[in-house]
Amino acid sequence: MSDALLQHPFMSQTALSECSAEAMVAGMLAFELALAEVQEARGLLPEGTAAQMRKALEGHAFDISSIGAGVASGGNAAIPFVKQARAALPAELRRHFHLGATSQDVIDSALMLLLEPRLAALDTLLRRCRSAALALMQAHETTVMVGRTLMQQALPITFGVKVAHWGIGLEQARRRLATLELPVQFGGAVAVHSGLDGLGLDGQGSDEADPGGLGLELMDALAQRLELSVPVLPWHTDRQPIHALATALDAVAGAAEKLALDVALLTQTEVGEVSEPGGEGMGESSSMPHKRNPVRCALIRGAARQVHGYVSVILNAHAQPLERGLGEWHAEWTPLLDSALLVEGALEQAAVLLEGLEVHPEAMRRNLAATGGGIMAEPVSRLLAPTLGQEAAKRISAEAAETARLQGVAYADALQAHPELQGQVEAQALRQATDPALYLGSSQAQVRRAAAWLQRE
């Protein structure tokens, strides 16, 4: 399939291997075996039933292709999976398999099991990004560069404060992910555990004083067995958990994309303030040997754009009808799982990018002087205003900046040569007003504040 060439390169290869069709089947089987175990523990199945099921099914070779083909007739993979599993069981066990469950219980719980290690991997990668960002921002706390607004040179900042914003964005997204819960799904056909009514060890009835509470009790026990969170109620058409997952993944994608966009812009030949980490073949062109393309940034942004599209699908599937979605539930599966794989792939690139980013302070100094020092016209105007008045100060600072740009002289020299400033302002004051390093606002304080926040769990 073309996915191997067009989509998979944007994803984490580790995640791809761990989220295969076989892994999905393993997740569905884990749900069914755990369900049998908690039902047996509650006395709903004969003793030893769950162990016999496990022995028969854990080594069974499920026909993945057949399960996939069965989706076309049943609408989801759980139906053909359950048929295959029952067929592989001894006859006396078949009626105990999938007891009280429905397809959505199997699929949703299996997806949560697949996503659990992915969230752990994302947390690890985001912590790598945080460590790399901390080192980079502290190393460049005083490295002066030009700040840009609307893609144009504006006023000086430090590179350290720029990195601080990258780090904060990624860490905010990490902390949001860390609050997510992956709940088990178990509600039966219409999410009220009606498939358990009247069940007892003999199958003829139950002496349970509150039979209506049995399903919730099993749901809680199942969550504990699978190490998933306990929902308040089955969430068949309450898709808050999926909404929370998708939007949290998209927040990570957005933070990574911001990093990649800034780095890509700063790597432009005419800017050259940073470079991506090198490596064999990294950034090469098929036709232009001289090029060093920001490929890691492209991979991050490509992955992020796909996640943004996927989250829109999930948002539009959020409101689902009655007790089971008709297409909305089905539409969630690929966007949710692929988003996790894409975000993990983007973060693998982001971690390497931050850990090996090449910073070029000399290019930053060069670009600060690109306007002849004209970016300092605002502080110069503030210096001149008390003596010359607001309008004259603004006009003279702009005229001197244009002179510096056209004649290629220092902005301070152009100011000193301006006829209206003769004897008006001391040369030292003009030089200080035109020094970018003396007009950084709270840049350094922001780096220290950000570092303290990033280091606080």
Side-chain angles (χ1 to χ4, degrees):
M1 292 179 66
S2 60
D3 286 353
L5 301 180
L6 302 180
Q7 186 185 34
H8 293 174
F10 293 91
M11 297 175 168
S12 164
Q13 300 308 298
T14 299
L16 269 172
S17 66
E18 294 180 3
C19 292
S20 62
E22 291 77 9
M24 183 65 185
V25 168
M28 292 191 289
L29 181 60
F31 168 84
E32 295 286 7
L33 294 176
L35 178 61
E37 288 169 352
V38 299
Q39 288 174 338
E40 181 180 326
R42 188 64 183 76
L44 299 180
L45 302 181
E47 186 176 349
T49 298
Q52 293 176 63
M53 285 184 182
R54 186 174 294 278
K55 182 177 180 181
L57 295 176
E58 276 199 330
H60 179 68
F62 285 90
D63 186 341
I64 303 296
S65 297
S66 179
I67 292 175
V71 175
S73 58
N76 66 77
I79 295 172
F81 162 75
V82 169
K83 288 180 180 178
Q84 280 196 29
R86 280 186 173 143
L89 289 171
E92 65 273 15
L93 296 180
R94 292 172 186 170
R95 68 188 180 94
H96 299 310
F97 187 80
H98 193 64
L99 187 64
T102 193
S103 300
Q104 186 159 0
D105 297 333
V106 182
I107 296 292
D108 281 351
S109 295
L111 282 171
M112 296 302 101
L113 290 172
L114 279 183
L115 285 167
E116 191 171 37
R118 301 281 55 84
L119 294 189
L122 293 179
D123 187 80
T124 297
L125 286 166
L126 283 163
R127 288 176 185 273
R128 272 182 62 189
C129 290
R130 181 180 65 185
S131 296
L134 271 166
L136 200 57
M137 61 197 263
Q138 290 170 334
H140 293 282
E141 180 180 321
T142 59
T143 301
V144 184
M145 67 178 297
V146 68
R148 298 171 173 91
T149 60
L150 302 181
M151 306 294 283
Q152 303 295 307
Q153 289 200 358
L155 291 168
I157 61 172
T158 69
F159 185 63
V161 80
K162 178 177 287 293
V163 179
H165 283 285
W166 298 339
I168 287 173
L170 289 164
E171 178 62 10
Q172 285 176 328
R174 187 195 72 79
R175 294 182 188 183
R176 180 176 174 184
L177 272 181
T179 67
L180 292 179
E181 293 185 339
L182 301 179
V184 76
Q185 180 73 280
F186 179 60
V190 289
V192 295
H193 304 109
S194 47
L196 300 172
D197 282 354
L199 285 180
L201 183 58
D202 59 4
Q204 300 303 312
S206 173
D207 59 1
E208 174 67 36
D210 180 18
L214 177 59
L216 293 173
E217 182 181 323
L218 289 172
M219 182 182 75
D220 295 354
L222 185 57
Q224 184 176 9
R225 181 80 55 144
L226 292 172
E227 298 183 342
L228 295 173
S229 68
V230 178
V232 178
L233 299 175
W235 43 283
H236 288 188
T237 51
D238 171 17
R239 307 311 283 174
Q240 291 293 340
I242 302 301
H243 185 284
L245 268 168
T247 54
L249 289 169
D250 190 62
V252 180
E257 186 179 11
K258 163 61 176 171
L259 160 68
L261 176 58
D262 280 4
V263 169
L265 290 171
L266 296 178
T267 63
Q268 293 177 97
T269 305
E270 294 82 358
V271 179
E273 293 178 355
V274 301
S275 299
E276 281 196 355
E280 183 65 30
M282 285 302 300
E284 66 182 4
S285 166
S286 64
S287 60
M288 293 170 282
H290 69 281
K291 291 195 73 180
R292 183 175 171 183
N293 297 315
V295 173
R296 296 189 192 280
C297 292
L299 291 171
I300 293 169
R301 299 195 71 208
R305 293 301 177 88
Q306 293 178 73
V307 174
H308 301 331
Y310 277 146
V311 76
S312 70
V313 174
I314 292 175
L315 294 179
N316 281 301
H318 184 63
Q320 300 191 8
L322 307 175
E323 282 67 57
R324 187 69 57 86
L326 181 66
E328 296 92 349
W329 172 54
H330 309 73
E332 292 172 346
W333 308 332
T334 294
L336 184 64
L337 197 54
D338 279 7
S339 288
L341 271 59
L342 287 162
V343 170
E344 192 169 337
L347 288 181
E348 287 175 349
Q349 298 295 340
V352 174
L353 184 62
L354 284 168
E355 289 166 349
L357 189 67
E358 299 174 15
V359 183
H360 308 304
E362 69 285 355
M364 294 176 179
R365 288 191 293 270
R366 180 196 69 222
N367 292 333
L368 280 165
T371 62
I375 61 168
M376 301 305 294
E378 192 250 356
V380 167
S381 178
R382 288 172 57 185
L383 172 69
L384 301 180
T387 303
L388 304 176
Q390 190 69 38
E391 291 302 318
K394 185 176 180 180
R395 174 180 55 79
I396 292 169
S397 63
E399 290 174 354
E402 185 66 2
T403 298
R405 185 182 70 83
L406 292 174
Q407 297 182 6
V409 299
Y411 186 28
D413 293 339
L415 285 164
Q416 289 177 31
H418 195 285
E420 294 182 54
L421 290 184
Q422 303 303 309
Q424 296 290 328
V425 182
E426 293 183 359
Q428 181 61 25
L430 286 175
R431 295 206 174 273
Q432 287 183 344
T434 58
D435 184 355
L438 300 178
Y439 201 73
L440 297 173
S442 62
S443 292
Q444 291 175 256
Q446 286 193 32
V447 170
R448 299 188 192 109
R449 184 182 178 117
W453 184 83
L454 289 170
Q455 291 168 322
R456 185 175 67 244
E457 284 293 335

